[in-house]
Amino acid sequence: MVDGQDESRSETPREEAPNSTPLYPPAASTVPDNEAGGARRKPGIRRVHKCQDLAFLAVFLVFCIGFIVETSFGFNKGNPRRLVHGLDYKGNVCGDKKATPGSLEGLGVLYWVNPSQLFLAGEKATPFRVTNARGICVRDCPVAGNATTLLWVCDYPEGSMRNISMAQWAKRSYNYFDLLTPDQQASSKRLEGPCYPVLFPSSNVFWRCQLEPFPLNQTMQLWTSLNGSAVSSGPPIVIAVDRVLTTSIASLKRYIADLGRSWPVLLLCGGFVPLVLSVLWVVLLCNFLRPTAWISLALLNVLALLVTLYFYIKVGWIGADAVNAVIGFKSSDSDNWVSSSERSHLKIVAVFITFALILTVLVTVALLHRISAALSVMKVSLQSVVAIPSLLIYPLIPFCILAIFQIYWVAATMYLFSAGEVKPTRLCCGFKFQPRKHIIWAILFHFFSLYWVTQFVIASTLTTAAGAVASYYWAKGETALWNGGEGTSWKGMGWLPVISTGKHVTKFNLGTMALGSLVVPPVEFAQFILQTLRSRLRSAEMTMPNGAVISTHGRPGTYCLGCLDRTLTHINRNAYIVTAVSGKKFCKASERATSLVTNNPSKVGNVFIISDLIISLCKLCVSLACALFAFSMLDSHRYKSSLNRVSSPLFPVLFCWGFAYTTASLFFAVAEIAVDTVLLSYCIDAEENKGTAVFAPASLAESLNTFTESEEARAAERDFRKRRSSYYEEDNDHDDNGEKKDRSGDTSDSDSGSSRNT
């Protein structure tokens, strides 16, 4: 049934459950009851045609305006090259086309020309830093000369060297020492420029030429023969550069830059691949539920294991393909330049992935004995998706919206992190990047925008799908009732329920979507944490110094957590279902949905949990498959070369996993909300018809009864085992006490006998 449906049959009011407001108000038509011979009113979805939660819609619109302003600031003041490339002695970003005195395109590596300045920056007692050292941009790190030739690296061609273009300078390997005047050559031998000798071998480490601590003997002999100035050497040269590259800010900037360098991986593994897999998975889930569910459980464990092994490989725990900081070819000393910060971050994630793998195996084992009965209920509920094929096509619309937003968000992230000003340093001849003041708040706002907008799109998708499935439940129920409940041939409803619900949500319930998308995900996570704490507090015991044992059960901590848990319980995703079919505000819809579930815990409570868990595991399968595909793509030569070098696969893989999970949530939302909507409609149907769901398919009622019986039998078995174990414990305690009493009695008798003898 849809809005505005008019019937001309006579009206006969139906009795309603006391203290209950029907979610589906009766429509204006009746049909004869085959069993009782009376008249029965068929239900209709009557929504409130009034804008709900307008205040939160206004807040969301203001938030969107703020997001546009914040990203515009980033695009105006940022330069993504600053994230990984250094600044030369003129303040240019290496590789920038608009540099002075000429374009630096292709010259993306920073080379510090004076090793004595690096040595000074590496010592702790001096205020001199690497940002004060003089550097130029080169295509690759210069190679030291041989026993007969001393190579030079010169400044950009300016002044007397103006007749040399930047292209000619780069073609000459940055060396025009032979063109200098005698005075300029003497100045160069004093390490005062404009040319500097290449005395130390170096490696390209994150687009900086990391000098080795000591020069080559043959080049030093040539330098000494030219009466060159003394050059400082030692570990401080390495420490100075390493100190800059291993900071947390530097690592974070490299991670953000990795997103831009790996954009094909993000588009493919975060967008296209999860789109195809999600559609295929949902189709299989709706048509072949039981084999698809079992295959998904097995495949989830395999994918989780493979992703964990990939992290182990990149950390270096398995094999020899660990993350390395050297860009381009690997020299014999490449292990000296391993990125310790990137590896440490990968180790932390690898540990979390290991725990997640263990948890996945435990959840799979726990579901093995309870999944069969729940699948029967899910199979009946998913018939709505088969009957309304447009539900499988509709998520393409929010997917396109979300894909455009996420592409824009990633681009704005790179510009926002690089927003700031380039200022000269106080010492010597360097430049440094100065971030904008209070930029951290803009970055936090930017990440929060990704969460809220994504959840808003998902909430709108859930609500629209819920309204369409609810229309299916009641329309199919009416058809079955009118035809005696047997032999009913029911045809699909096409786009009508999807369009009807979508129009109503867009017109009246966007404020509800804004409020729900803001509070539902964190509240569901808080409910999980609180439930864990409550279970721990109930079983925890505290031993006092005097040996007394005090149980925390019933203590104020448990009561506080219980009150908070009861408050948060009313906020849940089922509110979207009530909003879809009644148009109520979010708070009222949450309260109504919670009362429906709590009034029927034995029938639908556990089905809600198990079905949502099964579908969530399917979403994890899709996202883990995309993460594994992203790992394999990042292992190719394209992302290990100097131009597209990715410092670490961590951020691209995590973002691919997150975007893939979001895409899967859009399409699996159809199956997820179909099960929840049918079960919630079943509760409403039973409540409004005195405990009998007359509009539910017979297979649904039979499946629910079977599931309820199996759960009751399982609970009874657990109670029996608990009583039996407690009985054995009491029996053992009684035997122990009796033995102690006998022993004490024997001791007293012997004492009395000895006293009489005395």
Side-chain angles (χ1 to χ4, degrees), residues 110 122 197 239 388 441 473 678 708 754:
L110 181 65
I239 294 173
I388 311 176
W441 299 109
Y473 177 89
V678 169
T708 303
S754 60

Side-chain angles (χ1 to χ4, degrees), residues 1-55:
M1 300 289 295
V2 295
D3 299 338
Q5 184 170 356
D6 186 18
E7 302 287 348
S8 60
R9 297 184 178 91
S10 60
E11 298 186 8
T12 303
R14 183 180 56 184
E15 294 183 5
E16 299 175 357
N19 300 326
S20 175
T21 302
L23 182 60
Y24 300 91
S29 67
T30 57
V31 293
D33 190 350
N34 294 333
E35 297 180 0
R40 187 183 301 277
R41 181 184 295 273
K42 66 177 181 179
I45 301 178
R46 296 296 182 87
R47 304 185 179 97
V48 178
H49 292 273
K50 181 181 178 182
C51 294
Q52 306 289 0
D53 299 309
L54 285 176

Side-chain angles (χ1 to χ4, degrees), residues 453-740:
V453 174
T454 301
Q455 293 299 325
F456 180 85
V457 175
I458 294 177
S460 303
T461 306
L462 288 171
T463 308
T464 303
V469 174
S471 301
Y472 160 83
Y473 177 89
W474 295 101
K476 189 173 180 63
E478 291 170 13
T479 307
L481 183 65
W482 291 346
N483 291 275
E486 297 179 359
T488 302
S489 60
W490 192 86
K491 296 183 179 180
M493 303 175 69
W495 280 94
L496 182 60
V498 177
I499 295 176
S500 175
T501 308
K503 287 172 60 179
H504 189 276
V505 170
T506 305
K507 191 174 181 180
F508 299 108
N509 295 116
L510 289 182
T512 304
M513 300 300 100
L515 175 57
S517 60
L518 179 64
V519 300
V520 167
V523 164
E524 288 183 343
F525 179 75
Q527 288 174 356
F528 172 77
I529 299 298
L530 289 175
Q531 187 64 28
T532 304
L533 290 176
R534 289 181 65 190
S535 61
R536 293 291 180 87
L537 285 175
R538 286 176 178 175
S539 58
E541 291 185 347
M542 180 172 59
T543 304
M544 302 300 290
N546 57 3
V549 178
I550 301 178
S551 176
T552 59
H553 176 67
R555 292 292 171 179
T558 306
Y559 284 127
C560 293
L561 291 176
C563 293
L564 185 58
D565 191 13
R566 285 190 292 271
T567 303
L568 297 179
T569 299
H570 290 286
I571 303 175
N572 53 67
R573 191 185 53 211
N574 292 330
Y576 297 142
I577 302 174
V578 179
T579 299
V581 298
S582 67
K584 290 185 177 181
K585 293 183 178 181
F586 179 79
C587 295
K588 293 183 178 179
S590 298
E591 184 178 359
R592 177 63 172 149
T594 303
S595 65
L596 288 171
V597 176
T598 53
N599 291 338
N600 301 272
S602 60
K603 285 186 175 295
V604 300
N606 291 331
V607 181
F608 271 123
I609 298 173
I610 297 176
S611 62
D612 288 349
L613 189 57
I614 292 173
I615 295 177
S616 297
L617 294 180
C618 292
K619 291 188 286 188
L620 282 176
C621 280
V622 173
S623 58
L624 287 176
C626 295
L628 193 63
F629 192 31
F631 259 127
S632 61
M633 288 188 65
L634 292 172
D635 261 348
S636 62
H637 176 72
R638 171 186 172 89
Y639 300 104
K640 292 184 177 181
S641 62
S642 58
L643 295 178
N644 299 306
R645 174 68 155 82
V646 174
S647 64
S648 171
L650 181 60
F651 261 45
V653 169
L654 290 182
F655 270 76
C656 285
W657 177 84
F659 291 159
Y661 190 85
T662 302
T663 302
S665 298
L666 290 176
F667 288 89
F668 278 95
V670 173
E672 193 173 11
I673 208 67
V675 177
D676 294 350
T677 303
V678 169
L679 292 177
L680 208 62
S681 299
Y682 177 88
C683 296
I684 298 167
D685 195 2
E687 182 180 286
E688 296 184 3
N689 291 281
K690 299 180 179 180
T692 302
V694 296
F695 293 98
S699 56
L700 176 63
E702 182 180 354
S703 301
L704 281 174
N705 291 333
T706 303
F707 180 80
T708 303
E709 291 174 359
S710 64
E711 289 296 312
E712 290 176 352
R714 191 179 302 276
E717 184 179 359
R718 286 197 301 267
D719 293 340
F720 173 74
R721 290 178 179 177
K722 186 181 296 184
R723 288 195 301 268
R724 185 174 60 180
S725 61
S726 61
Y727 172 77
Y728 286 152
E729 290 177 359
E730 292 178 358
D731 192 16
N732 293 333
D733 293 340
H734 179 71
D735 293 341
D736 294 339
N737 294 331
E739 292 177 0
K740 291 179 180 178

Side-chain angles (χ1 to χ4, degrees), residues 360-485:
T360 301
V361 174
L362 294 178
V363 171
T364 304
V365 173
L367 282 177
L368 292 178
H369 302 288
R370 306 184 66 182
I371 190 175
S372 298
L375 288 178
S376 301
V377 180
M378 291 179 62
K379 183 177 181 180
V380 179
S381 302
L382 290 176
Q383 291 177 359
S384 58
V385 182
V386 180
I388 311 176
S390 56
L391 282 175
L392 293 175
I393 304 175
Y394 164 72
L396 287 173
I397 300 175
F399 168 77
C400 294
I401 296 174
L402 203 55
I404 295 173
F405 169 76
Q406 289 175 346
I407 293 173
Y408 178 83
W409 185 90
V410 171
T413 302
M414 295 187 294
Y415 279 90
L416 191 62
F417 269 84
S418 60
E421 298 178 352
V422 176
K423 296 182 179 180
T425 57
R426 295 180 180 180
L427 300 176
C428 192
C429 42
F431 282 81
K432 65 178 181 179
F433 171 71
Q434 185 68 37
R436 285 282 181 171
K437 191 177 181 180
H438 307 308
I439 192 67
I440 184 63
W441 299 109
I443 293 174
L444 293 176
F445 180 86
H446 188 70
F447 275 88
F448 180 73
S449 67
L450 176 64
Y451 158 77
W452 199 358
V453 174
T454 301
Q455 293 299 325
F456 180 85
V457 175
I458 294 177
S460 303
T461 306
L462 288 171
T463 308
T464 303
V469 174
S471 301
Y472 160 83
Y473 177 89
W474 295 101
K476 189 173 180 63
E478 291 170 13
T479 307
L481 183 65
W482 291 346
N483 291 275

Side-chain angles (χ1 to χ4, degrees), residues 51-67:
C51 294
Q52 306 289 0
D53 299 309
L54 285 176
F56 291 96
L57 178 59
V59 172
F60 183 73
L61 293 177
V62 172
F63 171 83
C64 292
I65 295 174
F67 173 73

Side-chain angles (χ1 to χ4, degrees), residues 177-293:
F177 181 79
D178 57 324
L179 303 178
L180 297 178
T181 63
D183 292 339
Q184 290 175 329
Q185 289 183 354
S187 175
S188 299
K189 293 176 184 179
R190 296 192 301 269
L191 297 179
E192 296 177 358
C195 294
Y196 303 86
V198 182
L199 303 176
F200 293 72
S202 59
S203 300
N204 184 351
V205 179
F206 292 140
W207 298 275
R208 271 86 168 170
C209 290
Q210 170 70 285
L211 303 183
E212 293 196 9
F214 299 100
L216 297 176
N217 293 330
Q218 55 190 9
T219 57
M220 282 303 298
Q221 292 176 0
L222 291 174
W223 177 247
T224 304
S225 65
L226 294 175
N227 296 323
S229 300
V231 178
S232 302
S233 62
I237 294 179
V238 179
I239 294 173
V241 180
D242 187 68
R243 189 183 296 165
V244 174
L245 296 179
T246 56
T247 61
S248 300
I249 298 298
S251 298
L252 181 59
K253 288 182 177 180
R254 289 196 294 268
Y255 290 154
I256 298 299
D258 290 343
L259 298 178
R261 296 179 184 276
S262 61
W263 64 266
V265 180
L266 295 181
L267 287 180
L268 190 62
C269 301
F272 180 74
V273 173
L275 169 65
V276 175
L277 290 180
S278 298
V279 173
L280 179 62
W281 223 292
V282 172
V283 171
L284 292 176
L285 202 63
C286 295
N287 293 277
F288 308 99
L289 176 62
R290 194 171 295 274
T292 304

